[in-house]
């Protein structure tokens, strides 16, 4: 539901999202040319497409709250209109305090108004601070948060260090990255600079993007003797998102660093393999076709979904009625199976294209792989993707066989 409102110094409307109402910029009023990206043109950022991102955050944080079974605190240091943090306070059971902040004065004013509109003044505090300043003020033991949600423009990397330091032991850091051009290898140098790992423009580059961000979180946390494990991640629309739980202790940090390594890829035959030593990369020839391998990393080779956490999120999803519940059901079902599947996936179109064959259906390929004794799963990263330990040459043979039968 959208209602026009006044009282802001720019055109605005009231929207309903989840259980809250929020005054947000009227996006149509800020588009002057068809190429304009309306959310960034408005004086306060608001992107309705990110509703799914916020819905999933509500589910993930509720799932986390149920596991700790006590009142929790949440921080959103780049809040814009406040809609995300306000939803956390209004929709997550067991949230005692939400602190939101933004560097943009008009965003802060709007966020305060939205907090008031939802009757949440008691539990949601709005600050006008730079995110790193704000987080650093919460680095002391008694001031830390259970959850920090970093949802910036572009890369979350500038905020990771202060965010990790402002988390309680066993707390959760959620981070969005929209800078997919670096992370997916279009601007490889920018990725190396920001994330400390080399990306690769493969058909599974969105998974590599998640692994580069997760690897960066692990590296940042390790400097503070903090280990991480990834509870959940997803790649949706124009962004990726990682939910990582931290754990204090040098041994925990050592264990999480062991999940860093490299991904080696053959652009000729689609072979891929992992190398689990972040300090010793040996780029060899492809064992399947003898071409030179290319590589990505260091990046996170550990799990990027926890199947138990996915189940908990699914339970929460069944209790809610979001506009996006159907989409989320599918995403969580895929992620739960992906949690146990091998690193990276084949994209059938790419193999079929290379072999000049028609593209078979994913379900036929999955069934054939299982009949051959392999694990085989679809992936939320790509509707034409298949996760399996079968080799690239086995996949090629299978696609030839399937197309001959069809
Ligand atoms: C992508 S928007 C946030 C969207 C919001 N999380 C949501 O779900 O609707 C990023 C916000 O970060 C704010 N911002 C940019 N740099 C900042 C900084 N250094 N400290 C705090 N806020 C900052 C911008 O003003 C903008 O409102
Ligand atoms: Zn090869």
């Amino acid at each position: 539901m959208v209602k026009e409102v006044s009282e802001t110094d720019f055109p605005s409307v009231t929207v309903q999202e989840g259980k809250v109402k929020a005054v947000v910029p009227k996006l149509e009023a800020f588009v002057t040319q068809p190429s304009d990206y309306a959310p960034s043109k408005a004086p306060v950022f608001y992107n309705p497409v990110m509703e799914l991102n916020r819905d999933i955050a509500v589910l993930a944080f509720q799932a986390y709250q149920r596991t700790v079974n006590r009142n929790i605190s949440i921080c959103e240091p780049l809040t814009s209109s406040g809609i995300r943090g306000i939803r956390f306070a209004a929709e997550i059971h067991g949230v005692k305090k939400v602190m939101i902040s933004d560097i943009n004065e008009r965003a802060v004013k709007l966020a305060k108004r939205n907090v008031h509109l939802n009757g949440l003044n008691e539990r949601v505090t709005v600050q006008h601070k730079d995110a790193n300043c704000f987080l650093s003020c919460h680095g002391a033991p008694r001031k830390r948060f259970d959850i920090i949600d970093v949802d910036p423009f572009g890369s979350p990397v500038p905020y990771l260090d202060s965010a990790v330091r402002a988390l309680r032991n066993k707390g959760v850091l959620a981070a969005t990255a929209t800078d997919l051009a670096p992370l997916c290898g279009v601007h490889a140098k920018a990725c190396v600079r920001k994330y400390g790992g080399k990306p690769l423009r493969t058909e599974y580059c969105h998974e590599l993007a998640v692994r580069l961000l997760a690897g960066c979180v692990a590296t940042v946390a390790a400097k503070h003797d903090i280990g991480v494990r990834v509870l959940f991640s997803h790649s949706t629309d124009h962004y990726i998102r990682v939910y990582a739980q931290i754990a204090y202790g040098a041994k925990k940090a050592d264990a999480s660093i062991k999940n860093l390594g490299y991904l080696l890829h053959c652009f000729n035959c689609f072979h891929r393999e992992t190398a689990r030593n972040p300090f010793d990369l040996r780029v060899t020839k492809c064992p399947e076709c003898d071409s030179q391998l290319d590589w990505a990393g260091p990046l996170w080779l550990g799990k990027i979904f926890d199947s138990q956490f996915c189940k908990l999120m699914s339970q929460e999803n069944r209790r809610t009625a979001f506009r996006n519940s159907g989409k989320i059901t599918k995403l969580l079902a895929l992620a739960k199976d992906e949690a146990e599947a091998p690193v990276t996936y084949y994209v059938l179109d790419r193999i079929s294209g290379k072999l000049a064959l028609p593209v078979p259906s994913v379900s036929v390929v999955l069934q054939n792989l299982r009949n051959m004794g392999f694990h085989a799963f679809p992936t939320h990263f790509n509707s034409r993707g298949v996760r399996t330990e079968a080799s690239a040459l086995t996949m090629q043979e299978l696609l030839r066989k399937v197309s001959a039968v069809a």
Side-chain angles (χ1 to χ4, degrees):
M1 189 197 71
V2 176
K3 206 173 97 201
E4 301 238 1
V5 288
S6 52
E7 286 181 48
T8 46
D9 59 356
F10 50 85
S12 55
V13 289
T14 305
V15 294
Q16 171 89 40
E17 190 180 295
K19 289 188 183 159
V20 309
K21 282 196 267 265
V23 177
V24 297
K26 186 180 177 189
L27 295 176
E28 312 86 89
F30 301 97
V31 178
T32 50
Q33 312 166 35
S35 61
D36 280 350
Y37 177 54
S40 302
K41 294 278 163 185
V44 176
F45 184 92
Y46 168 68
N47 189 352
V49 170
M50 291 302 240
E51 178 173 351
L52 178 79
N53 179 319
R54 293 185 279 267
D55 290 344
I56 293 173
V58 167
L59 298 176
F61 298 160
Q62 183 67 80
Y64 172 76
Q65 187 278 335
R66 300 236 194 252
T67 60
V68 294
N69 196 24
R70 58 173 166 75
N71 283 339
I72 58 169
S73 58
I74 305 182
C75 169
E76 200 218 346
L78 302 110
T79 197
S80 202
S81 67
I83 191 164
R84 181 179 292 260
I86 292 170
R87 288 194 59 187
F88 297 157
E91 297 176 36
I92 303 174
H93 164 83
V95 171
K96 65 170 183 286
K97 177 178 78 175
V98 176
M99 294 190 92
I100 60 180
S101 179
D102 203 284
I103 202 164
N104 173 354
E105 200 173 348
R106 289 163 104 186
V108 171
K109 206 170 149 200
L110 187 62
K112 282 186 177 160
R113 182 176 170 181
N114 283 329
V115 170
H116 186 70
L117 182 67
N118 289 280
L120 288 166
N121 295 31
E122 297 284 304
R123 284 192 297 133
V124 182
T125 315
V126 188
Q127 304 262 324
H128 180 202
K129 291 223 168 90
D130 164 76
N132 278 323
C133 233
F134 179 56
L135 290 166
S136 294
C137 288
H138 286 266
R142 281 164 191 271
K143 294 198 165 175
R144 293 177 188 150
F145 300 101
D146 293 291
I147 292 172
I148 298 175
D149 190 331
V150 177
D151 182 55
F153 297 135
S155 173
V157 171
Y159 312 105
L160 294 182
D161 193 88
S162 53
V164 163
R165 285 186 287 113
L167 272 177
R168 280 175 70 158
N169 190 20
K170 306 279 172 71
V172 171
L173 171 66
T176 312
T178 61
D179 56 335
L180 293 190
L183 281 165
C184 287
V186 180
H187 304 306
K189 281 185 189 162
C191 187
V192 173
R193 272 199 315 273
K194 286 189 192 301
Y195 294 87
K198 175 177 152 336
L200 206 55
R201 282 187 82 173
T202 58
E203 56 276 28
Y204 49 86
C205 62
H206 289 88
E207 177 179 339
L208 294 184
V210 162
R211 294 184 180 281
L212 283 158
L213 172 56
C216 183
V217 171
T219 308
V220 166
K223 290 173 190 160
H224 302 287
D225 286 346
I226 291 173
V228 304
R229 77 181 176 111
V230 179
L231 297 176
F232 186 68
S233 58
H234 62 110
S235 158
T236 307
D237 301 327
H238 62 292
Y239 66 90
I240 57 156
R241 180 99 164 141
V242 168
Y243 293 79
Q245 183 174 33
I246 68 150
Y248 286 9
K251 285 198 176 131
K252 296 269 174 29
D254 289 343
S256 94
I257 287 297
K258 285 201 179 121
N259 285 296
L260 294 178
Y262 295 91
L263 193 291
L264 291 96
H265 179 85
C266 175
F267 279 99
N268 183 46
C269 75
F270 305 104
H271 169 85
R272 62 286 306 266
E273 62 189 59
T274 56
R276 276 214 172 231
N277 188 342
F279 304 107
D280 184 15
L281 172 64
R282 281 159 214 226
V283 186
T284 51
K285 292 271 173 84
C286 172
E288 297 196 67
C289 76
D290 212 33
S291 301
Q292 186 59 45
L293 292 174
D294 204 339
W295 56 279
L299 43 70
W300 181 259
L301 291 174
K303 282 185 184 294
I304 52 173
F305 317 94
D306 179 292
S307 55
Q308 187 55 32
F309 196 74
C310 291
K311 274 190 208 158
L312 292 173
M313 286 176 69
S314 295
Q315 280 171 18
E316 297 306 330
N317 190 38
R318 282 194 285 278
R319 291 192 181 115
T320 56
F322 295 141
R323 270 190 285 262
N324 292 309
S325 291
K327 268 191 200 168
I328 297 173
T329 304
K330 284 187 201 141
L331 168 63
L332 292 173
L334 287 168
K336 183 172 74 58
D337 288 345
E338 282 189 76
E340 308 306 327
V343 173
T344 80
Y345 50 89
Y346 295 103
V347 175
L348 300 186
D349 311 44
R350 294 295 295 269
I351 307 177
S352 299
K354 171 113 188 163
L355 301 178
L357 295 170
V359 186
S361 82
V362 170
S363 56
V364 165
V365 172
L366 290 173
Q367 200 48 57
N368 271 277
L369 284 166
R370 287 174 191 147
N371 292 346
M372 291 158 77
F374 293 112
H375 297 98
F377 304 92
T379 169
H380 89 279
F381 282 102
N382 189 318
S383 58
R384 315 287 304 151
V386 171
R387 283 190 191 274
T388 177
E389 73 276 31
S391 70
L393 294 185
T394 304
M395 288 301 289
Q396 292 191 17
E397 274 166 36
L398 174 59
L399 263 58
R400 281 198 191 93
K401 187 187 105 185
V402 170
S403 83
V405 172

